[in-house]
Amino acid sequence: MKKTLSFLSIVLFANFIYAQSGSQQFITSGDFTVPAGVTSITIEVVGGGGGGGINGTGGGGGGGYSLGTYSVTPLATIPVTIGAAGGTGTAGGTTIVGAFNQATGGGPGIWVPNPEVGGGGAGGIGSGGTLNYTGGEGGGGYYTYFGGGGGGAAGSLGNGSNGGDTIPWTGICQTPGGSGGAGGGIPSGSGGKGAGFTDANCNITDPAASGMPYGGGGGGGNGNGGGPGMGYSGYALISWGNDPCSNPSNLTASDIQLTSAVLDWTENGTATTWNIEWGFSGFTLGTGNPQVVLAKPYLLEGLMPNTSYDYYVQADCGGTGTSTWSGPVTFETDVLGTADNAIDGFTYYTNPMNEVLHLRANSTIESVVIYTISGQKVIDQNIGTTTTQLNVSNLSTGAYLMKVVSGGQTGIYRLIKK
């Protein structure tokens, strides 16, 4: 009898430990049952996106966002209502978890009288949590011609961005409509673009786009058969437990070019989303450029040549929180020189270039990259021989810089395209 009781005690204890960490995602309404032994849950909600209107109306607003941690009773049943996607000219629904927190849906795109631009739906609002953000407003449409862009849903990083306004009709219909607003971070979605036309006579529709998961607002339609985009439904994530979100480690920067670098790190937990913050070397964390990353390694672009940068990485474990920041790692982009840095025995002709550029070296030419003077990469080729020809017929007239790697040496050469 004593052994039987001990065995049952072990089983019950194991079940209790198992119940202490987990999560449940809701994309449709239902009930959540608090696991045995759990007395605290974290709830993350996004409201549904508003739908765009017809005939040159505004885009739908993005859903709101709320995140909070609450005390609960083990085995209690908590109702979960997922905000519905906004249809044509209708608002998105409110996502509600019990009596804890909620996020309202985005408003619908509406029509405004000629000659005004407007009618974007209001963004949804989060409430009841420790983090509450507002969805982006829908962009304005124009009369019966062009639709406004949908607003982005709010998310874990902040408010959603507003959808873009379209332009007034100028007598020519060739315009894509307003752009969709960006979401405010995981798990929010961006808004859909507004409808426009691809031809000058209003005959060929450039369709509106629906909002993205979760909570993105739909783009407004146009007045010649181009229907509006729909909003995207809301979302809820309920999690429990105190498992820490592990810090990334082994941060690196590789394949560093004039205006880009490949960033990578080791994920020490199960996160599939990370936050990056980067800026000029020495910047204070919180003042740099934020970026949400869904896959690694990550190509960071838009940098300046011959510049030193720092970057930090943070793991995002969803409802169980985020790690502390790892970093910084410092790297420096390539130098964009104005004078040749020559490789022994390397020659190239003709310069100024016309259709073909001939290259010859004593050692194997490993790679050739040609940049504009502003640092834009226009040709990038791996060679693997001592001689080669580059087709430069598509390059515009002007000055360029060529970076050559051969025999362990790197050379920078000035080129002219005539």
Side-chain angles (χ1 to χ4, degrees), residues 16-43:
F16 177 79
I17 293 298
Y18 176 78
Q20 299 314 295
S21 180
S23 64
Q24 185 172 347
Q25 175 180 274
F26 289 84
I27 56 176
T28 58
S29 299
D31 290 329
F32 172 73
T33 300
V34 180
V38 171
T39 58
S40 177
I41 59 174
T42 297
I43 304 172

Side-chain angles (χ1 to χ4, degrees), residues 5 11 17 35 56 60 68 94 141 182-183 188 197 206 212 215 253 265 291 297 299 308 344 350 359 385 397 402:
L5 288 174
V11 171
I17 293 298
T94 300
S188 67
F197 298 95
D206 182 17
M212 299 295 288
W265 53 90
Q291 194 81 36
L299 176 62
S308 183
D344 295 339
T350 57
L359 310 178
T385 61
T397 300
M402 177 174 64

Side-chain angles (χ1 to χ4, degrees), residues 166-178:
T166 190
I167 64 172
W169 185 58
T170 60
I172 298 177
C173 278
Q174 197 166 357
T175 179

Side-chain angles (χ1 to χ4, degrees), residues 46-47 49 60-65 133-137 149-164 179-192 210-217 232 275 290-294:
V46 177
Y65 173 89
Y133 295 122
T134 301
E137 296 179 359
S156 56
L157 297 181
N159 298 330
S161 297
N162 295 339
S179 59
I186 298 297
S188 67
S190 58
S210 295
M212 299 295 288
Y214 294 95
Y232 205 96
N275 301 317
Q291 194 81 36
V292 177
V293 175
L294 304 180

